[in-house]
Amino acid sequence: MTVTATSVDESAPPQSRIAPGWRAARLARLLPALAAALSGVLLYVSFPPRTVWWLALPAFAVLGGVLRGRGWKAGLGLGYLFGLGFLLPLLVWTGVEVGPGPWLALVAIEALFVALVGAGVAAVSRLPGWPVWAAAVWIAGEAARARVPFHGFPWGKIAFGQADGVFLPLAAVGGTPVLGFGVVLCGFGLYEAVRLAARGRRTRAVRRSAAAVALLSVTVPVAGALAARSLVSDAAEDGHTTVAVIQGNVPRSGLEFNAQRRAVLDYHARETERLAAEVDAGRIARPDFVLWPENSSDIDPFVYADARAVIDRAAKAVGVPISVGGVVERDGKLYNEQILWDPAKGPTQTYDKRQIQPFGEYLPLRSLIGAINSDWTSMVHQDFSRGTEPGVFTMGGAKVGLVTCYEAAFDWAVRSEVTDGAQLISVPSNNATFDRSEMTYQQLAMSRVRAVEHSRTVTVPVTSGVSAIIMPDGRITQKTGMFVPGHLVQKVPLRSSETPATRLGVLPEMLLLLVAAGGLGWAITAGVRGRRAGEV
């Protein structure tokens, strides 16, 4: 027998000797990873300050296509890439003043939660009705992120990207978990509907039950949101009140916004006196009360007589109570505090911020962090202490619930003020440390979602912007620019009824966690049975 050898051109470049099939196989392996990362970026683009909320649907549709039918290990990696694509640009503001290290570390940790969700979605993707199980798994991941580590970091909840969207009324049904679930379910359902439609054209063999689940996954969240519009109202139930929001501005942006002693306080007092002059001239109606931002008094008015005199003068000029934000020291402890300042009686009531910010207002693992980077311990030289009670001030006959800045991201912190009797919510904030980043717009969107969730007017007084007045239906009726002084005055409705979301509290989230657990349990059981059958 004669054997003919196939000759190989040794002079040819190595890349030309690589089989074309190998390149195609490698590209096929890279495409899911690229799609996962890019769909995460698409989800980021759906968030404020942009108003393309609907991009969240194709983002989750692509993620569903990437994860469906894969093993949990692949889901873990693809979920992590999705998390990086989403969170890296979303949270870039966290490194504006402190450099990329903390930003990258935060994203790396938070993306781990998304990775676990990816593994869970991959696991349940083989189950009948998988979009329902998968959407519940996503909400379970958000619930975990909102609680650990260091009391949680809920920034980037899907609900917070939907302030301009058709799904927003779902917030009044079951809060941010139900709103987020509706969006994610619709996105996964969109993929499943497209997949089954394509399969039906090829084989004409699509089970009716699968098609029904896909259709319902898309239509039920939209129909539910349209039906929930009846829960959204800006009608007054307890009359109206006229509120004034003060934005005094700061001498400079960044971490040193308050480096010039008393400057921030003077700016806010000056803007309040300017408002008082317009009231006295008859150009603006006299407000029933005035709201200042977080840290609007950059020195402790309980310690420094000059600060107390400045606030007294501003309160007397406008002639109504002011809620003043300050950093105060009491019994050797620091508090981020709102102070109710009466023009006749002075300070009468306080609210201490309860959800304080790790690495900003306190330093977890201080000794370990200090050993790694002493700059952190110098920036946060003393930890703030947590308040323990809700803050509802009676101002001008209205009950005003205080939710200080970072607290607006936490469901329990906002709800507690409403259940404690608040007819209006104020979110005093200080965004000066984040310059002109997207952070202020992301936080403003949270306040719009909270307005609908609890059917309350929400005011947002910010040191440097964007300050705003938000109606109970989520509409912004007035707002300022950034890094400009200004004041907003408006007659707004007072409401005392509770939405289903307010009454149910954490229950919808717990039910969705049970759905997620049920789906994962079913998937694990089915996998074990499948392996045993294969062994036999």
Side-chain angles (χ1 to χ4, degrees):
M1 180 185 296
T2 302
V3 178
T4 304
T6 303
S7 63
V8 176
D9 184 1
E10 297 293 340
S11 63
Q15 58 268 27
S16 68
R17 302 200 299 267
I18 299 173
W22 183 88
R23 292 197 191 96
R26 186 176 183 183
L27 182 61
R29 286 195 297 268
L30 290 176
L31 277 177
L34 182 62
L38 290 179
S39 59
V41 174
L42 191 63
L43 180 60
Y44 155 71
V45 175
S46 75
F47 271 65
R50 295 157 295 276
T51 58
V52 284
W53 55 270
W54 50 270
L55 286 178
L57 302 182
F60 279 103
V62 173
L63 180 65
V66 167
L67 293 177
R68 187 180 182 279
R70 295 188 182 273
W72 70 267
K73 292 181 181 178
L76 197 70
L78 293 169
Y80 196 75
L81 290 173
F82 180 84
L84 291 178
F86 173 44
L87 296 171
L88 271 171
L90 185 81
L91 302 179
V92 68
W93 51 268
T94 60
V96 167
E97 293 297 330
V98 294
W103 161 51
L104 295 175
L106 174 64
V107 170
I109 292 170
E110 293 299 312
L112 288 173
F113 290 91
V114 186
L116 292 172
V117 168
V121 171
V124 302
S125 66
R126 294 181 175 86
L127 300 178
W130 73 268
V132 177
W133 309 110
V137 168
W138 180 273
I139 298 305
E142 287 192 344
R145 279 208 308 126
R147 289 167 173 83
V148 292
F150 313 126
H151 299 276
F153 186 74
W155 219 278
K157 273 189 168 187
I158 299 305
F160 297 148
Q162 296 296 309
D164 290 293
V166 69
F167 297 99
L168 180 60
L170 289 175
V173 177
T176 59
V178 169
L179 173 52
F181 176 78
V183 174
V184 179
L185 175 60
C186 195
F188 285 149
L190 180 63
Y191 163 74
E192 184 68 355
V194 171
R195 185 186 74 85
L196 291 178
R199 179 181 171 185
R201 283 196 298 270
R202 291 195 308 269
T203 66
R204 300 182 182 275
V206 175
R207 288 193 301 179
R208 290 182 180 180
S209 59
V213 168
L215 182 62
L216 290 173
S217 296
V218 175
T219 58
V220 168
V222 176
L226 294 176
R229 292 178 65 181
S230 62
L231 300 173
V232 180
S233 173
D234 62 357
E237 295 175 332
D238 305 307
H240 292 79
T241 190
T242 300
V243 58
V245 169
I246 298 295
Q247 177 174 302
N249 204 11
V250 296
R252 58 180 68 83
S253 64
L255 293 174
E256 301 301 318
F257 76 95
N258 62 349
Q260 183 179 338
R261 184 185 186 278
R262 223 187 70 184
V264 178
L265 172 57
D266 286 343
Y267 282 15
H268 285 82
R270 186 182 308 143
E271 189 62 30
T272 304
E273 289 166 2
R274 186 177 294 123
L275 165 65
E278 292 191 33
V279 170
D280 292 341
R283 292 191 292 271
I284 294 179
R286 184 176 299 279
D288 295 306
F289 54 90
V290 175
L291 300 170
W292 284 11
E294 176 188 34
N295 303 149
S296 47
S297 179
D298 49 1
I299 54 177
D300 188 343
F302 295 111
V303 173
Y304 296 98
D306 60 331
R308 184 180 185 112
V310 169
I311 300 172
D312 268 332
R313 186 171 63 246
K316 286 180 169 61
V318 75
V320 296
I322 303 176
S323 179
V324 177
V327 174
V328 305
E329 185 170 355
R330 188 166 56 250
D331 300 326
K333 297 180 179 180
L334 279 181
Y335 294 93
N336 186 336
E337 192 164 82
Q338 288 291 309
I339 308 164
L340 177 54
W341 209 285
D342 186 86
K345 301 175 183 178
T348 60
Q349 191 177 345
T350 60
Y351 166 65
D352 298 322
K353 186 177 182 181
R354 294 169 292 167
Q355 187 68 45
I356 56 177
Q357 184 179 353
F359 303 100
E361 293 173 305
Y362 78 101
L363 196 59
L365 309 173
R366 178 174 288 273
S367 58
L368 176 62
I369 297 295
I372 297 172
N373 187 347
S374 60
D375 289 343
W376 274 109
T377 54
S378 61
M379 284 190 293
V380 189
H381 65 277
Q382 182 179 350
D383 292 342
F384 279 78
S385 295
R386 299 175 183 273
T388 58
E389 299 295 330
V392 179
F393 291 170
T394 300
M395 305 180 71
K399 293 185 179 298
V400 181
L402 284 304
V403 180
T404 305
C405 195
Y406 183 59
E407 292 182 318
F410 293 84
D411 296 347
W412 67 267
V414 184
R415 178 177 178 268
S416 66
E417 311 302 72
V418 179
T419 57
D420 205 46
Q423 300 166 302
L424 176 149
I425 299 170
S426 180
V427 186
S429 303
N430 173 29
N431 298 340
T433 52
F434 302 109
D435 203 9
R436 296 180 181 273
S437 69
E438 293 183 356
M439 180 269 186
T440 191
Y441 300 103
Q442 293 171 9
Q443 191 176 54
L444 186 60
M446 291 179 193
S447 295
R448 295 179 62 191
V449 172
R450 299 305 185 191
V452 173
E453 181 179 13
H454 299 292
S455 194
R456 295 291 187 273
T457 298
V458 176
T459 61
V460 186
V462 184
T463 49
S464 55
V466 174
S467 299
I469 296 176
I470 304 166
M471 291 292 99
D473 60 6
R475 289 179 300 118
I476 296 176
T477 52
Q478 290 192 61
K479 64 179 180 179
T480 68
M482 293 186 73
F483 292 99
V484 292
H487 53 263
L488 308 173
V489 180
Q490 187 171 325
K491 185 178 182 180
V492 298
L494 296 175
R495 294 177 60 84
S496 57
S497 64
E498 293 186 350
T499 63
T502 306
R503 291 193 296 270
L504 293 172
V506 75
L507 183 59
E509 185 178 58
M510 293 298 103
L511 290 175
L512 289 172
L513 293 182
L514 289 175
V515 172
L520 290 171
W522 185 6
I524 292 170
T525 302
V528 170
R529 288 176 178 170
R531 284 194 297 272
R532 288 175 178 172
E535 291 170 0
V536 173

